Amino acid sequence: MENIPLNRRTFLTRIGTGATALAVATSGLGILSETVNAETDSLLHVKPKKKGFKFTPIETTNKDELVLPKGFKYDVVAAYGDVINGKGDTFGFNNDFTLYFPIQNSNERGLLWVNHEYTNPLYVEGEKVNGKYAPKQIEKLLYNQGGSIIEVYYDKKVNKWKMDAASTYARRVTGLTSFALTGPAKGTKVVNGATSVQGTFANCSGGKTLWNTVLSCEENFEETANNAGLNQTHYGWVIEVDPFDPNFAVRKHTALGRFNHENASMGIAKDQRVVVYMGDDKKDACVYKFVSKDKYVPALGKANSRLLEEGNLYVADFKKGRWIALTIEAVQKAAAGKPELLEKFQTQGDVVTNCQEAALLLGGTPTDRPEDVEISPFDSSIFIAHTNNDKHGNLHGHITRFIEKKGDHGATEFEYEIFAAGGRQSGFSAPDNLTFDSNANLWTVTDISSSSLNQGAWTSFGNNGMFVIPTVGRDKGIAWQFAAAPMDAELTGPCFTPNEKTLFLSVQHPGEETEDINNPTSTWPHRKGEKMPRPAVVAITGFKF
């Protein structure tokens, strides 16, 4: 027999479907154990930091429940509408990205930043009247997007994660909050002269800075901006927030470009300049990175935020393996002889504001919805989740891996490869958010459209899920399902505590296909006395090393 790694489905097929197969299927394959740590059989050519943990991969399901492997459990720590502080602020809708900040280095108490991406008129603002929202509806629409800062803790008495609603840190950052603009678009004609703007919304994924603040990304902002009567050029940016300090002015960094941002993953070049990798969640969109002009100085702390105000924004040219600088000089040269484009692109502010058009004009490679982009903590290669693109027949998406020249994030040349492809052969479809654990495993959640789940080309995948893909050992590149979402939902924003004993995870838009509020397609999280499906953040425990 040829020497190839066997995924779970192939393994069970080869050994049969009788008692032996059942015994193997229920015993736990230990895919994250120390047996896969061989340095000589490693994609990343490094040893993981610790022993892994074992779990029995779950099967696909269409249950209205968050399904986990045996030995794991989840606690709902915050759901839509929950009061988060003494002022009466409430947890927003359709939570996505999560980021845990320890309080006094604790793995059992910290702040959790949570993105809120969009609303559902059935449960939040209500339907339009004569095609428009009333002012109170617009207020609800904007308040329930943006971000929540909540304080969470592990209650040992009841073996459960909870939210501390009396927290003095907890607060909301919403579509009603005032934001400062920084960078080349600030105060320019293209943003109507604005130096500050109202609010943030359509917050999808994000990242963490080297100076311990949040980067949150505005993705599909167009509909909310139109419904609220707001200037679209004020949205589609990367914002920065300090969860511990409300006096840190929340800001939008225009130097990082305006597009349908999925996330922002920060690294550092060999010469100590800050680098931010970004995906654009749109069909035929590009992959970007920003490289600061000046160098990172750890002693300056949050003052390093200024590094995100000036630098070079690049777009990836896959074919030539190069990063193309998006400068006004290059754009004007490419637009020569085209009066409309020359009028549109007169300053660097115009370039970053109309980033998608500039990127394609200069030769950026259109790809299949590049969503989450994450830097491997092991070898600094870049992993990109291309969710799908039915315009080109890529229904199930794939994950690519970039290798910068000489391993330098500041390089202008790279190579890339397909790390894993979605489809029946891999068991997953539509990879979205990514994260790593310290055993060199890549975790991905999937984003099959709720209208496509369990039908057509997506029938075999069941509900959306979470998968673990080893990047070392004999099982590298093979996806193992760790969780399955409730009906209509997707799982988003996976984030571990530093000791990796808890995984925070968002359950977004359960029951999204509901048309009649009295007959929801999901009732998760199954709160006593109500049928309403509520987006929520959960804390998953049961990890044993």
Side-chain angles (χ1 to χ4, degrees), residues 75-141:
D75 304 316
V76 176
V77 295
Y80 167 62
D82 288 351
V83 175
I84 68 169
N85 59 22
K87 291 169 50 182
D89 282 321
T90 55
F91 195 70
F93 204 75
N94 275 342
N95 37 271
D96 199 302
F97 174 66
T98 71
L99 190 57
Y100 178 79
F101 291 84
I103 294 176
Q104 297 180 347
N105 298 315
S106 175
N107 286 289
E108 297 183 345
R109 182 176 284 271
L111 299 186
L112 195 68
W113 167 272
V114 184
N115 277 4
H116 298 292
E117 189 172 358
Y118 63 99
T119 63
N120 184 331
L122 271 179
Y123 301 109
V124 183
E125 68 270 18
E127 298 295 339
K128 293 179 180 178
V129 178
N130 297 323
K132 292 185 178 181
Y133 284 129
K136 285 291 184 184
Q137 289 178 295
I138 292 175
E139 185 178 344
K140 289 182 179 179
L141 175 72

Side-chain angles (χ1 to χ4, degrees), residues 8 25-29 53-59 66-74 481-483 540-544:
R8 190 166 189 266
T26 58
S27 66
L29 298 180
F53 60 92
K54 296 181 180 181
F55 72 93
T56 303
I58 67 169
E59 298 290 348
L66 175 57
V67 180
L68 302 173
K70 183 178 179 181
F72 293 83
K73 75 177 185 72
Y74 71 87
Q481 187 162 1
F482 179 82
I540 297 173
T541 52
F543 300 93
K544 297 178 181 178

